[in-house]
Amino acid sequence: MKLFSTIAGAVAALIVLNSCISFEPDKLTISIAGNSVEADGNYTVHIEYPVFHGYPELSDAIAETVSRWEQQFLESFQALRDAGSDAPATLTITWSPAQMNLSYISLILECYSYTGGANGLQFMETFTWDAKNNQQLTLESVLQMNAADLFPYLADMSREQLKQLLIHSASDKSMESMIHEGTEPVPENFQLFTVSPRYITLYFNKYQVAAGYYGMQTVQIPLPEPSRIQ
């Protein structure tokens, strides 16, 4: 039997066996699902993600993202072993809420995986949900702007903050072009966002707006008074 099948079976079993922990912030019922695996120094897996009771579409979207990242890790790990490498591998998936109540749910899901090489891989996915109407929220609906006005506005706001954050000397000026390219006013550059009562937080993947050693970047944009959600 291939190692891939053995690992996949172990992980699946632990997902089933790992009991969920439930709690109720503002009567919103959530369970924490996931698993932790450590196998003789070969690989380490730690996965934790929320399940929102009463919101199956949201919960399914989160679980599908976790499953996709886990599958990618297992395939990479199997390829590593097939190539004769015994380097340890790591998968970590965690989540952080920006807002959770009976009106709005907004969170970020983060993944780090390492299966060899100089650097690991990092991924992000965000979920923002109108809990009252049980539907996904878009940036257009949150900011009450049409796309023609929205994305140039987000680009300008992001560039201003990122330049203040990343450019501190003449030697940093080369990053200006990366910032500009990574914040072009198109929807794909602003897919990752969470919403708190007073801010939208935009997330930029590693390499999107700066050199890799700067990691992922975030920008906070205040919500206009009529757009504030809580």
Side-chain angles (χ1 to χ4, degrees), residues 94-189:
T94 57
W95 68 287
S96 301
Q99 181 170 203
M100 292 195 307
N101 53 49
L102 289 174
S103 297
Y104 298 98
I105 302 167
S106 190
L107 64 99
I108 180 170
L109 198 65
E110 298 184 74
C111 173
Y112 172 80
S113 70
Y114 178 79
T115 54
N119 298 293
L121 299 175
Q122 292 176 280
F123 306 100
M124 291 185 291
E125 190 61 74
T126 57
F127 303 87
T128 295
W129 208 259
D130 179 344
K132 286 182 179 178
N133 297 304
N134 201 8
Q135 63 185 14
Q136 185 175 4
L137 280 172
T138 64
L139 282 169
E140 291 94 329
S141 61
V142 172
L143 284 170
Q144 300 175 22
M145 297 173 67
N146 60 53
D149 296 326
L150 173 66
F151 295 108
Y153 168 73
L154 294 177
D156 289 344
M157 295 287 285
S158 299
R159 287 168 181 171
E160 181 181 349
Q161 289 190 40
L162 288 167
K163 287 176 184 178
Q164 291 176 356
L165 181 66
L166 297 170
I167 299 176
H168 304 292
S169 66
S171 62
D172 295 330
K173 283 287 186 179
S174 60
M175 275 199 297
E176 205 160 342
S177 61
M178 287 193 70
I179 292 173
H180 192 275
E181 183 177 348
T183 56
E184 284 290 330
V186 292
E188 52 265 33
N189 283 335

Side-chain angles (χ1 to χ4, degrees), residues 11-221:
V11 171
L14 279 165
I15 290 174
V16 172
L17 293 172
N18 191 34
S19 61
C20 295
I21 303 168
S22 297
F23 56 95
E24 297 187 2
D26 298 330
K27 299 182 181 178
L28 181 70
T29 306
I30 306 164
S31 296
I32 306 303
N35 67 87
S36 291
V37 182
E38 195 164 342
D40 300 328
N42 285 322
Y43 65 92
T44 301
V45 172
H46 176 74
I47 298 174
E48 185 178 294
Y49 62 95
V51 177
F52 293 92
H53 299 275
Y55 302 95
E57 290 183 19
L58 171 60
S59 296
D60 287 349
I62 294 169
E64 286 167 9
T65 301
V66 171
S67 178
R68 184 177 73 251
W69 287 343
E70 186 180 11
Q71 184 69 21
Q72 290 170 351
F73 168 77
L74 291 171
E75 290 175 358
S76 296
F77 182 75
Q78 181 63 55
L80 189 72
R81 290 298 180 261
D82 288 346
S85 172
D86 60 356
T90 299
L91 173 69
T92 302
I93 298 175
T94 57
W95 68 287
S96 301
Q99 181 170 203
M100 292 195 307
N101 53 49
L102 289 174
S103 297
Y104 298 98
I105 302 167
S106 190
L107 64 99
I108 180 170
L109 198 65
E110 298 184 74
C111 173
Y112 172 80
S113 70
Y114 178 79
T115 54
N119 298 293
L121 299 175
Q122 292 176 280
F123 306 100
M124 291 185 291
E125 190 61 74
T126 57
F127 303 87
T128 295
W129 208 259
D130 179 344
K132 286 182 179 178
N133 297 304
N134 201 8
Q135 63 185 14
Q136 185 175 4
L137 280 172
T138 64
L139 282 169
E140 291 94 329
S141 61
V142 172
L143 284 170
Q144 300 175 22
M145 297 173 67
N146 60 53
D149 296 326
L150 173 66
F151 295 108
Y153 168 73
L154 294 177
D156 289 344
M157 295 287 285
S158 299
R159 287 168 181 171
E160 181 181 349
Q161 289 190 40
L162 288 167
K163 287 176 184 178
Q164 291 176 356
L165 181 66
L166 297 170
I167 299 176
H168 304 292
S169 66
S171 62
D172 295 330
K173 283 287 186 179
S174 60
M175 275 199 297
E176 205 160 342
S177 61
M178 287 193 70
I179 292 173
H180 192 275
E181 183 177 348
T183 56
E184 284 290 330
V186 292
E188 52 265 33
N189 283 335
F190 301 97
Q191 293 181 25
L192 300 174
F193 72 95
T194 56
V195 179
S196 59
R198 293 179 177 272
Y199 293 94
I200 286 179
T201 301
L202 302 174
Y203 301 84
F204 298 96
N205 275 304
K206 189 176 179 180
Y207 303 111
Q208 183 177 346
V209 294
Y213 56 80
Y214 284 95
M216 300 174 178
Q217 298 296 318
T218 61
V219 164
Q220 280 196 329
I221 297 178

